[in-house]
Amino acid sequence: MSTQEQQGVVRDGVHYHKFDIVIVGAGGAGMRAALEAGPNANVAVISKLYPTRSHTGAAQGGMAAALSNVEEDNWEWHTYDTVKGGDYLVDQDAAEILAKEAIDAVIDLENMGLPFNRTPEGKIDQRRFGGHTRDHGKAAVRRSCYAADRTGHMILQTLYQNCVKLGINFFNEYYVLDLITVKEDGQTRIAGVVSYELATGELHVFQAKAIIFATGGFGKIYKTTSNAHTLTGDGVGIVWRKGLPLEDMEFFQFHPTGLYGLGILLTEGARGEGAILRNASGERFMERYAPTIKDLAPRDIVARSMVQEVAEGRGAGPHKDYVYLDCTHLGAEVLETKLPDITEFARTYLGVDPVTEPVPVMPTAHYAMGGIPTTNDAEVLAANTTVVPGLYAAGECACVSVHGSNRLGTNSLLDINVFGKRAGRNAVAYVNKTPDWLPIPEDPAKEVRELIEGLRAGTGTERIATLRKTLQDEMDRNAQVFRTDESLAGVLGVIEELRARYKNVHVDDKGRRFNTDLLEAVELGFLLDIAEVVVYAARNRKESRGGHQRDDYPKRDDVNYLKHTMAYLTGDPHSSDATDHVTLDWKPVVITRYQPMERKY
Ligand SMILES: Cc1cc2nc3c(=O)[nH]c(=O)nc-3n(C[C@H](O)[C@H](O)[C@H](O)COP(=O)(O)OP(=O)(O)OC[C@H]3O[C@@H](n4cnc5c(N)ncnc54)[C@H](O)[C@@H]3O)c2cc1C
């Protein structure tokens, strides 16, 4: 392959590039994949953000691995906690891989130069986190490896530095907007991606033998969220629009400790260090909901307990609508050295000093358990048992499923490292046995050009910000910690109305250079598509499990629902009734050694 082919050849105003492997996304998962693939293939990483601005850099509390550095632990206990934490919707073979490969994943990062916090003997220090226990739930265990409350920042910087050292080709501030697919014998095959260069407004086609999606989450379907503005689910939306399935989209995690009214995250590491949740009267209410591990119960349980405290009139503040995270007994030194960032967040954004006062908190939309279904080798599924050859996904955009219906804290930084690495390795293996690139269609950028030009030339009157705000407000009100058929039907109706209004959306900026207005319109399209699937699947799951709590079906129902949801786009994608174009199916859960039990903590 020539350098010129990598740099791009221009034909009819479109740049054409050719690589063995294209990775979409430069967060933790994308860059871990790039490091694995880089030495053995020609790799391009395409990212809408400069790599070190990816959301992985915002991760605070840590990365789980049963290293046993500070107390006894093993990967089998970690597997069990992950399965139980996910309310038994976890594929247990995948959870075993996650827990076993965790140890090497941490050591890989250490060898790359990551500055973890250390014990006095110089080992990597470990702290407690929600749902991570010793000996099958007996007590909380120290399993999370951390670098103060900036673990994600350190991971992202370390991975990026190593990618630069390896000479990986980065295409930064390029938005991938389409996956080029070809049908062969009725099967979907992939030939490349189409992207939009922010600086110039020009289109770039990247031909590739293997493609890895690592585009992160989609928390911006909600208003109150810990997620960055850029987490609009583009990769998940692109795959969906190609008719490929999405798995378990109804399961969204609400992190218990978002700063009240803002949703900015205060890491669970605070409770790992001993912070306590209290209601208006100062009661440590988690003692009633999870008597054994209390404030360190998994997030779904803690978030629900908080909302219940408020609903039953025990909330604090003038409107009795929040609870407190009390860190005052930890002392200034622990807060300043082990939790410096969140201490500063509380001071800056709420004017509350955690050293002397409890901090007002409420749950915040945090993590997508669902996403693009993959095998344990990160291969994207076209249906329950068939894969799309050469297409991979890893990180938050993917659903392996190691998190089931509720992810344990610190298991995502782990997931991106373990499955990012697997995606990179397997993409290389695929490229090695694939001599040639698939031919691309005559004008592969046609659909993206029409989308962009349609938005630019449109004479619509609907404001992007208004539509987005209506969606986010409605999702917060009706598809948050507690849901009912009525609330979900309501929000689905609003989404359908917004999808119709979106056809008439107005873009102020008609220019070509750095047109973020235009891209916000495109991102809003992905948010609307994804929210529709989330809500549609949530209505269909008439039980309560993990992050999906139905007031009208408050019990877990293993007889009817111990299975993954698989959603497909079928029929007319533009119709205003979801039943016309969303089809739901099921996929069995892989159970190896842990039969579903009642979840007690
Ligand atoms: C505030 C916060 C704190 C957290 N703390 C922890 C923690 O302590 N421990 C833990 O385990 N987990 C934590 N998480 C979760 C965890 O950080 C994320 O799930 C994980 O980092 C996601 O990594 P990723 O590589 O999948 O995606 P990201 O890091 O979000 O990266 C996505 C990448 O995709 C690119 N991209 C997206 N769309 C496009 C497009 N259309 N074209 C081109 N590129 C695109 C972006 O530019 C970016 O580079 C936290 C999350 C948040 C929000």
Side-chain angles (χ1 to χ4, degrees):
M1 192 188 317
S2 70
T3 314
Q4 200 188 5
E5 277 178 313
Q6 294 186 11
Q7 295 297 330
V9 183
V10 186
R11 283 201 303 275
D12 298 331
V14 176
H15 302 253
Y16 287 83
H17 313 254
K18 210 176 201 184
F19 286 89
D20 291 329
I21 300 173
V22 160
I23 299 172
V24 187
M31 291 205 285
R32 188 64 191 84
L35 286 176
E36 203 60 24
N40 305 305
N42 276 304
V43 177
V45 178
I46 310 176
S47 177
K48 73 177 184 182
L49 299 171
Y50 189 76
T52 50
R53 297 189 63 206
S54 304
H55 191 71
T56 296
Q60 303 171 351
M63 170 170 165
L67 300 180
S68 309
N69 278 1
V70 282
E71 59 187 340
E72 188 189 353
D73 198 5
N74 65 57
W75 66 261
E76 196 270 322
W77 295 349
H78 187 183
T79 309
Y80 170 80
D81 289 338
T82 301
V83 170
K84 181 178 169 191
D87 220 350
Y88 296 93
L89 199 74
V90 170
D91 286 329
Q92 298 185 11
D93 53 346
E96 264 181 44
I97 291 171
L98 183 82
K100 264 192 209 164
E101 295 184 8
I103 294 154
D104 278 348
V106 169
I107 292 168
D108 282 354
L109 289 170
E110 184 180 39
N111 290 340
M112 286 181 212
L114 195 145
F116 283 109
N117 272 46
R118 301 274 162 184
T119 64
E121 316 81 74
K123 291 181 180 169
I124 294 173
D125 199 8
Q126 297 187 275
R127 58 160 60 129
R128 296 192 179 105
F129 243 82
H132 290 281
T133 70
R134 167 169 61 79
D135 195 7
H136 310 95
K138 299 243 163 59
V141 76
R142 294 179 191 275
R143 186 176 289 149
S144 163
C145 309
Y146 65 100
D149 55 357
R150 305 183 183 114
T151 315
H153 172 85
M154 296 303 183
I155 289 178
L156 200 64
Q157 299 290 333
T158 303
L159 294 176
Y160 184 54
Q161 285 162 9
N162 281 275
C163 282
V164 170
K165 193 160 99 185
L166 201 59
I168 299 288
N169 303 285
F170 280 96
F171 292 84
N172 298 331
E173 300 190 331
Y174 280 55
Y175 286 62
V176 169
L177 299 181
D178 197 10
L179 170 67
I180 306 169
T181 54
V182 188
K183 284 275 180 206
E184 250 186 25
D185 304 327
Q187 300 291 317
T188 303
R189 305 289 308 271
I190 50 110
V193 296
V194 184
S195 75
Y196 174 97
E197 185 183 356
L198 182 65
T200 60
E202 286 172 0
L203 297 182
H204 295 251
V205 169
F206 290 81
Q207 238 187 307
K209 292 178 187 170
I211 298 167
I212 303 173
F213 273 84
T215 49
F218 46 83
K220 291 313 275 186
I221 58 174
Y222 290 96
K223 173 173 159 237
T224 311
T225 174
S226 67
N227 282 200
H229 286 288
T230 51
L231 291 175
T232 48
D234 310 0
V236 175
I238 290 168
V239 164
W240 169 250
R241 287 177 187 176
K242 287 290 151 183
L244 294 169
L246 298 180
E247 182 172 345
D248 289 341
M249 293 293 281
E250 63 272 38
F251 295 104
F252 206 91
Q253 174 165 87
F254 300 90
H255 190 296
T257 53
L259 279 183
Y260 169 68
L262 298 170
I264 295 171
L265 194 77
L266 299 187
T267 176
E268 195 171 281
R271 279 172 286 138
E273 296 291 345
I276 288 169
L277 289 162
R278 299 188 189 280
N279 60 21
S281 57
E283 184 205 3
R284 184 182 194 180
F285 59 86
M286 281 313 299
E287 282 178 338
R288 276 187 276 118
Y289 298 95
T292 308
I293 56 174
K294 306 181 180 77
D295 302 88
L296 287 174
R299 291 173 179 172
D300 56 336
I301 295 176
V302 180
R304 270 199 299 279
S305 309
M306 292 165 72
V307 174
Q308 199 164 328
E309 286 299 295
V310 165
E312 290 172 5
R314 293 186 290 278
H319 306 291
K320 296 182 165 213
D321 59 351
Y322 56 75
V323 300
Y324 289 118
L325 180 69
D326 182 2
C327 309
T328 53
H329 53 289
L330 300 184
E333 200 195 322
V334 168
L335 285 168
E336 301 290 358
T337 57
K338 290 192 165 173
L339 301 162
D341 278 5
I342 63 154
T343 301
E344 212 44 50
F345 291 164
R347 286 177 186 148
T348 308
Y349 298 109
L350 287 189
V352 171
D353 188 349
V355 176
T356 53
E357 304 159 90
V359 186
V361 290
M362 272 312 264
T364 182
H366 186 58
Y367 184 85
M369 267 76 72
I372 305 166
T374 70
T375 65
N376 294 343
D377 286 327
E379 302 155 297
V380 170
L381 292 177
N384 285 6
T385 51
T386 42
V387 301
V388 184
L391 185 60
Y392 300 83
E396 192 169 337
C397 71
C399 179
V400 185
S401 136
V402 283
H403 309 302
S405 61
N406 172 60
R407 170 174 74 80
L408 289 189
T410 69
N411 266 357
S412 174
L413 289 181
L414 175 58
D415 171 2
I416 62 180
N417 277 286
V418 166
F419 290 96
K421 182 174 179 176
R422 284 182 160 241
R425 190 172 62 211
N426 293 321
V428 168
Y430 180 80
V431 163
N432 285 344
K433 63 175 193 206
T434 308
D436 234 330
W437 286 260
L438 275 189
I440 45 174
E442 182 62 24
D443 181 8
K446 183 167 178 278
E447 279 177 37
V448 172
R449 190 183 309 109
E450 285 172 1
L451 171 78
I452 296 287
E453 292 311 326
L455 283 167
R456 217 197 306 262
T459 53
T461 51
E462 295 287 356
R463 312 297 305 178
I464 300 166
T466 310
L467 300 186
R468 190 174 49 214
K469 182 171 183 311
T470 311
L471 170 73
Q472 293 171 338
D473 285 346
E474 196 60 32
M475 289 295 287
D476 265 25
R477 237 190 325 269
N478 285 319
Q480 224 228 22
V481 175
F482 286 97
R483 304 151 170 201
T484 61
D485 189 61
E486 198 187 340
S487 76
L488 293 168
V491 70
L492 191 59
V494 173
I495 293 170
E496 299 313 347
E497 194 189 303
L498 291 172
R499 280 163 50 84
R501 288 171 63 188
Y502 177 72
K503 291 175 192 155
N504 199 23
V505 76
H506 178 81
V507 174
D508 283 327
D509 185 350
K510 308 289 183 195
R512 295 194 184 274
R513 294 188 174 276
F514 291 100
N515 192 341
T516 48
D517 193 34
L518 179 75
L519 287 154
E520 278 188 33
V522 176
E523 289 170 337
L524 174 61
F526 290 129
L527 288 176
L528 287 168
D529 281 5
I530 289 171
E532 185 187 49
V533 187
V534 168
V535 174
Y536 196 77
R539 260 192 104 182
N540 189 54
R541 186 174 283 275
K542 298 182 176 64
E543 64 155 355
S544 291
R545 182 188 297 273
H548 174 69
Q549 181 73 24
R550 292 276 305 248
D551 263 353
D552 42 357
Y553 299 94
K555 293 237 164 353
R556 195 176 82 195
D557 175 359
D558 287 338
V559 175
N560 294 304
Y561 292 104
L562 182 58
K563 47 195 181 183
H564 299 289
T565 300
M566 296 286 274
Y568 294 82
L569 177 64
T570 49
D572 175 10
H574 304 296
S575 76
S576 60
D577 184 349
T579 25
D580 289 344
H581 57 255
V582 184
T583 302
L584 298 180
D585 199 356
W586 303 105
K587 182 159 77 80
V589 175
V590 179
I591 294 177
T592 54
R593 42 172 123 176
Y594 309 110
Q595 286 308 314
M597 312 249 286
E598 198 192 337
R599 247 163 118 228
K600 285 198 177 133
Y601 283 97

